Amino acid sequence: MKKYFQFDELGTTYKREIIGGLTTFLSMAYILFVNPSILSLSDVPDLPSELRMDANAVFVATALAAAIGTLIMGIVAKYPVALAPGMGLNAFFAYSVVLGMGISWQTALSGVLVSGIFLVLLTLTRIREKIIDAIPQNLKLAVGAGIGLFITFIGFKNAGIVIADPATLVALGDLSNGNTLLTIFGLVITVILMVRKVNGAVFIGMVITAIIGMIVNLIEVPDKVVSSVPSLAPTFGAAFANFGDIFTMDMLIVILTLMFVDFFDTAGTLVGVANQAGIMKNNKLPRAGRALVSDSTGTVIGAILGTSSTTSYVESTAGVAAGARSGFASVVTAVFFLLALFFSPLLGVVTPAVTSPALIIVGVLMVATLGDIEWKKFEIAVPAFLTILTMPLTSSIATGIAIGFIFYPITMIVKGRAKEIHPIMYGLFIIFILYFIFLV
């Protein structure tokens, strides 16, 4: 075991890997409860039941997708990187595709499955790296920041901190409302934990918020904590049910968006974790192909199980900081995700008031990329700004990407920098123009 995971070469031990794997799990365990809440659209009232995914089944799919994806990453790529359904991608799935575009969640899962298959093929043929290189860095950064603002807005809305207003579109909500106050309390606690650099701060913040909610009778106390694993039947294989419905321009845009976000989310995470772990060699990722295939395979498996795109988690850096250096840490993290399957009764205590602080904090972390955008160059600032702003304002990640990718060639050509634009960007420019003309 030590030889396979290169313990001696990496200067690590079983103790360090186990602690690192546990730390990574605690840092991202919130997804077990946030993902079912988002995909079931639990915060949207008066929604027909057929539009909601079964929260218990999504919980199981989330845990299994995370466990299997992380296990593959650890054993095949030997990276201390954990996988799970991605934040931002799940919001796009639920709020933009299902709620906004009116596409059934079964068809949306088909889109996730196809995007995962394409990512596997693109990685195996090394086209994935070429496409990643074709997208300008500033737009990659803008997309990440825009998704962060979108997730934060969802958190504010779910908590009642921001509400609809006929005069101003949005306004400050009733801060004396019990659930809103509980969200604010949870946010303050989580911020304090984050500032103090407590491992698993987001997860611990959710636990404390849920406990306080039960004490003040805002959350019902569960009858039990541990139970048998819920049925996966409501979501398992649903990606194949409406597979024929993916051959539309709407679904093409959905699939491209899923692929785009997963592209750069994964690449950025792998580079960041590898740098921190000292795995990078000559500024290159060793076993990069294996890592990317592991990530894409996770998306395929997750879609079949019944969840949105599975991707590498930046929270893995917490595990690295705690000592993780090899793929064995990922194996440890995967085991904890499997054990989590028996704690489904806790889903009932994870209300929007409990998940909203997590959404807001994740949004804060994602907008950190804003500082790296070249704002002083107007030809860059315009498409970047429009990409970021239109995501929360239109409640659509795809729309934000489309507008940014349309304006980028225009501003660059006018500036006399046409030669810097990759041909792939012109192709995307045409696709998104046609999207707005015929579908929006």
Side-chain angles (χ1 to χ4, degrees), residues 189-242:
I189 290 295
T190 308
V191 167
I192 291 172
L193 293 172
M194 291 289 291
V195 171
R196 297 298 301 174
K197 298 185 183 300
V198 175
N199 289 327
V202 174
F203 178 69
I204 295 171
M206 289 178 63
V207 171
I208 295 174
T209 305
I211 291 172
I212 296 299
M214 288 184 281
I215 291 174
V216 298
N217 295 320
L218 287 173
I219 297 175
E220 188 175 344
V221 179
D223 296 329
K224 52 187 176 180
V225 175
V226 179
S227 74
S228 58
V229 179
S231 172
L232 188 62
T235 61
F236 182 74
F240 300 105
N242 297 350

Side-chain angles (χ1 to χ4, degrees), residues 98-254:
V98 177
L99 197 60
M101 301 170 73
I103 294 172
S104 71
W105 60 264
Q106 293 91 341
T107 303
L109 281 178
S110 299
V112 174
L113 177 61
V114 172
S115 73
I117 293 172
F118 274 129
L119 285 173
V120 171
L121 295 175
L122 290 174
T123 302
L124 292 175
T125 56
R126 297 188 176 180
I127 296 175
R128 187 175 184 179
E129 287 89 343
K130 293 180 180 179
I131 296 177
I132 290 175
D133 292 339
I135 311 298
Q137 179 67 9
N138 285 285
L139 285 186
K140 296 174 188 175
L141 297 171
V143 169
I147 293 173
L149 289 181
F150 181 41
I151 290 174
T152 299
F153 180 73
I154 292 172
F156 278 128
K157 180 175 70 69
N158 291 354
I161 296 174
V162 171
I163 59 173
D165 186 276
T168 60
L169 294 182
V170 292
L172 187 66
D174 179 10
L175 299 186
S176 64
N177 177 275
N179 284 305
T180 303
L181 284 173
L182 182 60
T183 299
I184 294 172
F185 168 83
L187 181 60
V188 171
I189 290 295
T190 308
V191 167
I192 291 172
L193 293 172
M194 291 289 291
V195 171
R196 297 298 301 174
K197 298 185 183 300
V198 175
N199 289 327
V202 174
F203 178 69
I204 295 171
M206 289 178 63
V207 171
I208 295 174
T209 305
I211 291 172
I212 296 299
M214 288 184 281
I215 291 174
V216 298
N217 295 320
L218 287 173
I219 297 175
E220 188 175 344
V221 179
D223 296 329
K224 52 187 176 180
V225 175
V226 179
S227 74
S228 58
V229 179
S231 172
L232 188 62
T235 61
F236 182 74
F240 300 105
N242 297 350
F243 202 80
D245 295 340
I246 67 171
F247 301 103
T248 65
M249 185 58 74
D250 266 349
M251 282 306 298
L252 174 62
I253 298 299
V254 169

Side-chain angles (χ1 to χ4, degrees), residues 17-346:
E17 296 300 302
I18 292 172
I19 292 174
L22 173 60
T23 301
T24 294
F25 171 76
L26 291 175
S27 297
M28 57 188 288
Y30 65 87
I31 194 63
L32 289 167
F33 306 102
V34 175
N35 200 48
S37 175
I38 291 177
L39 296 191
S40 66
L41 292 166
S42 63
D43 62 301
V44 182
D46 304 321
L47 194 67
S49 58
E50 60 268 19
L51 296 181
R52 300 183 189 275
M53 296 185 71
D54 183 274
N56 284 307
V58 174
F59 170 80
V60 177
T62 300
L64 287 177
I68 297 171
T70 303
L71 198 61
I72 294 172
M73 179 67 79
I75 294 175
V76 176
K78 302 180 185 178
Y79 272 42
V81 174
L83 281 69
M87 292 294 294
L89 287 163
N90 54 7
F92 172 69
F93 181 104
Y95 294 98
S96 295
V97 180
V98 177
L99 197 60
M101 301 170 73
I103 294 172
S104 71
W105 60 264
Q106 293 91 341
T107 303
L109 281 178
S110 299
V112 174
L113 177 61
V114 172
S115 73
I117 293 172
F118 274 129
L119 285 173
V120 171
L121 295 175
L122 290 174
T123 302
L124 292 175
T125 56
R126 297 188 176 180
I127 296 175
R128 187 175 184 179
E129 287 89 343
K130 293 180 180 179
I131 296 177
I132 290 175
D133 292 339
I135 311 298
Q137 179 67 9
N138 285 285
L139 285 186
K140 296 174 188 175
L141 297 171
V143 169
I147 293 173
L149 289 181
F150 181 41
I151 290 174
T152 299
F153 180 73
I154 292 172
F156 278 128
K157 180 175 70 69
N158 291 354
I161 296 174
V162 171
I163 59 173
D165 186 276
T168 60
L169 294 182
V170 292
L172 187 66
D174 179 10
L175 299 186
S176 64
N177 177 275
N179 284 305
T180 303
L181 284 173
L182 182 60
T183 299
I184 294 172
F185 168 83
L187 181 60
V188 171
I189 290 295
T190 308
V191 167
I192 291 172
L193 293 172
M194 291 289 291
V195 171
R196 297 298 301 174
K197 298 185 183 300
V198 175
N199 289 327
V202 174
F203 178 69
I204 295 171
M206 289 178 63
V207 171
I208 295 174
T209 305
I211 291 172
I212 296 299
M214 288 184 281
I215 291 174
V216 298
N217 295 320
L218 287 173
I219 297 175
E220 188 175 344
V221 179
D223 296 329
K224 52 187 176 180
V225 175
V226 179
S227 74
S228 58
V229 179
S231 172
L232 188 62
T235 61
F236 182 74
F240 300 105
N242 297 350
F243 202 80
D245 295 340
I246 67 171
F247 301 103
T248 65
M249 185 58 74
D250 266 349
M251 282 306 298
L252 174 62
I253 298 299
V254 169
I255 292 169
L256 286 173
T257 300
L258 289 169
M259 290 174 61
F260 176 86
V261 176
D262 205 354
F263 262 15
F264 308 118
D265 194 21
T266 299
T269 298
L270 289 177
V271 170
V273 175
N275 266 321
Q276 187 175 347
I279 298 173
M280 294 282 282
K281 294 181 179 179
N282 300 321
N283 203 35
K284 291 184 178 180
L285 281 170
R287 306 180 300 281
R290 291 186 182 186
L292 291 171
V293 168
S294 299
D295 182 274
S296 304
T297 302
T299 291
V300 173
I301 293 170
I304 294 172
L305 293 171
T307 183
S308 52
S309 302
T310 301
T311 187
S312 300
Y313 260 59
V314 73
E315 282 86 349
S316 301
T317 55
V320 171
R325 291 295 180 273
S326 77
F328 187 78
S330 294
V331 174
V332 173
T333 303
V335 170
F336 280 110
F337 271 115
L338 289 175
L339 292 175
L341 285 167
F342 299 96
F343 292 87
S344 62
L346 296 179

